Each structure stands twice: as C-alpha cells, then as structure tokens.
Amino acid sequence: MDHLRASGTDVKGLGVHDDRIIPPLDTFPGMPAFSDSTSDALAEALSAVPAGTPVSGVAGRMLELFTGGGLEPGTRLPPERQLASALGVGRSAIREALAALEILGIVDVRPGSGTYLRGTASELLPQTLSWGLMIGERSTDQLMELRAGLESFCARLAAERISSERLDALRESIEGMREGFEDLDAFVTADAAFHAVLGAAAQNPIVTDLLAVSRQLLRVYNDRSVHEAEDMRIALEEHAAILEALEAHDGDRAASAMIAHMATARARLLRVAEDAGARRDEGVDAG
C-alpha cells in the first residue's frame, strides 16, 4: 500500500511522539481535503465484507488496513460514506466500528473535521493486543520468553550487519547508563536507546515491530524493574558484554550475551510483577 504514502495527501507530523495524541485541527490551517485519488486507493484496499458481517468484523477489516504499514500516523481517513461504500455496509456500522477503534486508541474521531490514524503499525499493535491480554504473572513470564528469543535473534543479526555509526550509538547508550547511576530515569532511557539501536542494526523490520509489541506490553513492569544500584551495575555489565560481541561481529557470542541479559531481566520483571500482584491482593482484602 505504498501508493497511499505516495498520494501526497497524508497529513504527517501531527502525532506527539510520546503518546501519539493528535492536536486540534485548527493547529494546521489550510489542511487539504481528503483527495479522490487516496479515497480510490483506500477503496481498493478495503474490499467489501460479506453481507451480515457484525460491527466487530467491520472494525477488524479496517484494523487490518490501519496496522498494515501503508498509512502514516496522522493520516486523515475518508469520510464515513466512502468507507461504507468500500466495505459494502451501512454508515451506522462504520460509525460504530470507528467508535470501537477510537476506544482502542487506533483512530482519533473529531466530529465535523474527520478521523485520523494515531500511530504506526508497531505503535498500534501493542494497544490492540493489550486490550485482549491481562498481564498477570503468568503472561508476563510468557512475554519475557518471547522477548528473550526475539532479542537474542536480533543481536545475532546485528552482529553481522551493524555499522560503525550504530556501534558508536551503542557506546553512547552505555555511557549514558553509566552516568545514569545517580538518575534512574536517565538510566532507563539509555537502556531503552541501546535496544532501539540494536533493533535498527538488525535491519529486519518485522523483528523490530514484534520487539516493539513485546516491550510495550511489558513496559508497565519494565520501567520499575531496575531501581537498585546492584541491578544497574549488573545491567550495565550485561550491555557491555553484548557490545563487545557486536564489535567483534560474533553472532553466537552476541546472542549468548543477550540471552544472559534477558535471564536476569526476566527475574527482575517477575519480581516486580509478583510485588504488584501482592499489593493488589492486599488492597482487595483491605476493601
């Protein structure tokens, strides 16, 4: 669906990076109307659903398009009547489907101005998955197993493909972690930057997107998992070992170093998850 990007009608740069909130329309005076060419392209991408398809099926068909990577964040979608025509359903079904997608955080519906996509595929997928996944101790463990496998594979790929510029970026991240011993937020930010650079170095967008999903779903615990000096010291040493393997372009060594890092990270996250569960239980008992 690259033709949607090339149409020239995408409204880019509207989303705020941290939370993808779309600002008021009047922030961008003179915004062009949704063009016929883009509407036609979208109609081709959205084939009609079978007669009698429930609203959930209509929403699912639109979700496939929105998370398929062919639309940019901030894209203004066609009006209800065009979506209804493309899918072969009534406007009321489109209206209800868009309302459901808005609750999920996929789109931003602005009465009188239009409907806008809120993020990229890798940013939207965690939001949709998190609604169907209650992250308790068991699912946290399973997600960590998934992330460990993806991270180690990513490290192996990166060892073969990483550039000198990205190696420099990883060194900067490790230095940021070292300097962040007195500033937890700075440490966590540098840690996240290390993994982001490593993901880019693997040069496999599918792996990168899957990692983004797993990291986002674990973020509620991950941001709180490193809070003691000893945790920081161990994490720093593990990242340094990964970097050394990458500098040597040794895929096996990089994957092994990442597996070791993921094992200690998993233990920390499960500890935080267990503590959170215990606090919830205490709150229920107290109530």
Side-chain angles (χ1 to χ4, degrees):
M1 289 181 286
D2 289 340
H3 55 290
L4 292 175
R5 285 197 185 98
S7 65
T9 58
D10 288 350
V11 182
K12 300 180 181 179
L14 297 183
V16 176
H17 180 72
D18 288 336
D19 53 13
R20 298 335 190 234
I21 296 173
I22 304 301
L25 189 62
D26 56 13
T27 306
F28 305 92
M31 179 184 291
F34 203 92
S35 73
D36 291 338
S37 62
T38 304
S39 295
D40 292 342
L42 190 57
E44 293 175 6
L46 282 173
S47 57
V49 297
T53 297
V55 171
S56 60
V58 176
R61 181 63 62 85
M62 289 194 288
L63 184 61
E64 290 176 5
L65 173 63
F66 298 159
T67 60
L71 295 173
E72 295 291 336
T75 295
R76 187 180 182 184
L77 305 179
E80 290 177 1
R81 58 182 172 76
Q82 289 180 311
L83 290 173
S85 177
L87 289 166
V89 297
R91 291 181 63 177
S92 61
I94 295 296
R95 194 173 300 116
E96 291 179 38
L98 288 175
L101 293 175
E102 185 177 31
I103 291 173
L104 287 172
I106 304 301
V107 300
D108 186 34
V109 179
R110 294 184 173 277
S113 63
T115 302
Y116 301 86
L117 192 66
R118 294 180 68 93
T120 63
S122 61
E123 294 156 356
L124 296 176
L125 283 172
Q127 297 182 63
T128 60
L129 288 173
S130 61
W131 276 83
L133 181 62
M134 297 300 291
I135 301 181
E137 180 183 342
R138 178 182 175 187
S139 55
T140 300
D141 194 13
Q142 292 168 351
L143 280 168
M144 278 303 302
E145 288 181 352
L146 171 64
R147 184 187 169 190
L150 290 170
E151 292 277 14
S152 62
F153 181 58
C154 185
R156 184 182 299 276
L157 291 178
E160 301 170 358
R161 304 171 180 178
I162 195 165
S163 65
S164 58
E165 291 80 11
R166 285 189 170 131
L167 282 172
D168 286 340
L170 291 177
R171 295 183 189 106
E172 290 178 7
S173 295
I174 285 184
E175 186 59 32
M177 293 174 67
R178 185 174 290 108
E179 294 174 354
F181 270 43
E182 303 299 324
D183 183 344
L184 178 58
D185 289 340
F187 185 94
V188 171
T189 298
D191 186 337
F194 182 97
H195 288 277
V197 173
L198 187 62
Q203 299 179 40
N204 186 319
I206 294 177
V207 172
T208 302
D209 283 351
L210 288 172
L211 271 171
V213 170
S214 63
R215 289 170 184 159
Q216 184 67 24
L217 288 171
L218 289 165
R219 185 175 179 180
V220 64
Y221 299 128
N222 197 43
D223 287 352
R224 292 178 289 165
S225 65
V226 177
H227 59 273
E228 296 179 359
E230 182 64 10
D231 292 333
M232 293 181 180
R233 184 190 64 77
I234 293 172
L236 178 61
E237 290 179 354
E238 290 170 347
H239 283 78
I242 295 167
L243 175 59
E244 288 178 4
L246 294 171
E247 290 172 329
H249 298 283
D250 188 332
D252 290 342
R253 184 177 160 197
S256 296
M258 181 61 78
I259 289 172
H261 172 51
M262 286 292 103
T264 56
R266 173 176 173 269
R268 287 195 301 267
L269 260 69
L270 290 179
R271 181 184 67 204
V272 172
E274 290 170 358
D275 290 345
R279 286 194 296 272
R280 282 196 302 268
D281 292 342
E282 290 173 1
V284 171
D285 293 340

